[in-house]
Amino acid sequence: MKNSALKGALGALAVVGVALIAKKAVQRKRFIKGIFDEYGIKEKSPFGLADKIREMNDEEYQNLKGKFKKEFASKCCRKDNTCEA
């Protein structure tokens, strides 16, 4: 029974970690759904997105690319709120 408090603390920490991961997954799912709605993509799959990208002009593509970079940018490499990719 010596380690019961430690096990409880680690268990609580694990639950918090899983909750944070689930929250991030839901946020990203909402972002992707918003992209599909914004660009009028009926087929909710990577293939539907690829078909739409093929139809886009360069300006629209760069705009979409910027949105994806902003949403999925790694937060670990930032120095002064910039990220070198």
Side-chain angles (χ1 to χ4, degrees):
M1 289 296 217
K2 292 180 184 178
N3 294 331
S4 64
L6 180 62
K7 286 181 184 178
L10 289 175
L13 187 60
V15 169
V16 169
V18 169
L20 289 174
I21 291 170
K23 180 181 174 185
K24 188 66 173 180
V26 168
Q27 289 174 343
R28 288 185 174 195
K29 185 175 180 180
R30 282 188 196 137
F31 171 76
I32 296 295
K33 186 176 180 183
I35 292 293
F36 284 132
D37 291 341
E38 181 180 345
Y39 288 95
I41 302 170
K42 303 263 188 238
E43 184 182 349
K44 307 291 188 207
S45 73
F47 299 110
L49 181 60
D51 289 340
K52 183 65 178 179
I53 288 172
R54 284 188 207 107
E55 296 171 2
M56 290 179 173
N57 62 27
D58 192 42
E59 183 180 329
E60 291 174 332
Y61 174 71
Q62 293 302 327
N63 185 19
L64 179 65
K65 187 176 164 183
K67 288 179 184 179
F68 274 101
K69 276 189 173 183
K70 182 179 176 187
E71 178 68 23
F72 296 109
S74 175
K75 311 252 185 319
C76 65
C77 65
R78 289 191 179 181
K79 293 181 182 177
D80 300 323
N81 293 331
T82 59
C83 186
E84 297 176 13

